[in-house]
């Protein structure tokens, strides 16, 4: 029997209440064919709050046959997401030079946890993830982060492209995209100034539109035969270059 490694809420009314109480919901799974006025109320809230959802077959709910799930299951995040603008305003008020990490389509929870651990150690102000196509903050992610997820603000956003444009044009933050296709090495980038670094998934890299918006593309020099580093290792290299330059 499958087991979920994070808190879940079952049932239409229970999930409606969780949304109304502003619980941090990672995703809502809905059984195909669900109907009724109460379900429509729930679905309206999901769309209104931009909560990720997915229609799934009835088989998904079999492990929860002893629960009155009504074909609705919500996965609850163990940490609260924060607003990026508020995090950056607080950092500015404290006299910090902005330091942001953006993760594009990093879906592996262990990589995600390891990256956040490095981010906390490097003094990152915020880790930005997309609303969809991102790793869940599960028990595995918490464990791999060594608790760092409780200390680094995680900002979940609807549109990464919009956020990157705002960082670049409204907040004058230089946005560096990490890609092996870059010509410039990361050591040659000026990261002592306000900086955001975008790391992409290992299989797809960074979205082409995000690459186009970024201020510069940077890469890590390599000597071996393997094409690229694990994304968590690459992120650590990039993050601690910022630390080195700002010391």
């Amino acid at each position: 029997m499958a087991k979920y490694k994070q808190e879940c809420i079952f049932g239409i009314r229970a999930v409606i209440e969780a949304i109304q109480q502003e619980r941090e919901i990672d995703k809502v799974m809905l059984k195909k064919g669900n109907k009724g006025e109460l379900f429509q109320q729930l679905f309206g809230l999901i769309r209104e709050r931009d909560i990720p959802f997915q229609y799934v077959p009835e088989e998904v709910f079999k492990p929860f046959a002893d629960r009155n799930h009504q074909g609705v299951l919500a996965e609850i995040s163990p940490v609260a997401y924060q607003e990026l603008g508020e995090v950056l305003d607080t950092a500015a008020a404290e006299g910090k030079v902005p330091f942001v990490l953006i993760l594009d389509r990093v879906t592996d929870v262990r990589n995600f946890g390891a990256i956040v651990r490095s981010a906390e150690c490097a003094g990152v102000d915020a880790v930005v993830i997309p609303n969809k196509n991102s790793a869940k903050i599960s028990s595995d992610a918490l464990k791999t982060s060594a608790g760092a997820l409780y200390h680094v603000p995680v900002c979940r956003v609807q549109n990464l492209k919009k956020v990157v444009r705002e960082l670049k044009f409204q907040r004058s933050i230089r946005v560096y995209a990490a890609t092996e296709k870059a010509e410039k090495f990361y050591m040659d980038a000026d990261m002592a100034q306000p900086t955001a670094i975008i790391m992409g998934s290992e299989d797809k890299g960074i979205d082409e539109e995000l690459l186009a918006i970024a201020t510069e593309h940077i890469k890590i020099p390599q000597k071996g035969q393997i094409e690229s580093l694990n994304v968590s290792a690459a992120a650590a290299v990039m993050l601690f270059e910022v630390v080195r330059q700002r010391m």
Side-chain angles (χ1 to χ4, degrees), residues 14-181:
V15 175
I16 287 174
E17 288 179 10
I19 294 173
Q20 291 174 337
Q21 292 172 11
E22 299 188 348
R23 295 287 303 274
E24 298 289 352
I25 297 176
D26 275 332
K27 182 172 70 173
V28 178
M29 287 187 281
L30 308 169
K31 187 176 75 174
K32 291 179 180 178
N34 256 353
K35 296 179 181 178
E37 185 177 338
L38 197 59
F39 176 79
Q40 291 304 320
Q41 181 185 344
L42 168 62
F43 191 71
L45 279 172
I46 290 171
R47 297 300 294 269
E48 178 187 324
R49 307 288 177 91
D50 288 324
I51 297 170
F53 69 93
Q54 180 182 3
Y55 282 106
V56 296
E58 191 169 354
E59 289 74 26
V60 172
F61 295 93
K62 283 186 177 179
F64 315 109
D66 59 335
R67 310 283 189 98
N68 184 25
H69 56 73
Q70 298 174 293
V72 174
L73 183 155
E75 297 177 336
I76 306 300
S77 172
V79 301
Y81 296 110
Q82 299 189 37
E83 292 293 329
L84 179 59
E86 294 178 4
V87 172
L88 291 176
D89 289 344
T90 299
E94 294 173 354
K96 294 181 179 179
V97 179
F99 184 10
V100 178
L101 175 63
I102 301 167
L103 302 180
D104 178 34
R105 300 180 293 190
V106 175
T107 57
D108 183 273
V109 293
R110 294 185 180 181
N111 276 335
F112 175 66
I115 290 169
V116 175
R117 181 175 184 174
S118 295
E120 198 281 332
C121 291
V124 166
D125 295 310
V127 175
V128 181
I129 60 174
N131 207 12
K132 298 178 180 178
N133 296 320
S134 179
K136 299 183 184 71
I137 302 180
S138 64
S139 59
D140 281 344
L142 285 166
K143 183 178 180 180
T144 311
S145 79
L149 277 161
Y150 291 122
H151 302 287
V152 179
V154 178
C155 306
R156 189 171 69 172
V157 301
Q158 182 71 12
N159 190 323
L160 276 184
K161 301 175 189 67
K162 179 181 178 183
V163 167
V164 170
R165 289 191 187 96
E166 289 174 354
L167 292 176
K168 182 179 176 181
F169 298 113
Q170 296 179 23
R171 291 186 178 266
S172 299
I173 294 175
R174 292 185 70 82
V175 182
Y176 295 102
T179 169
E180 68 274 8
K181 298 176 183 178

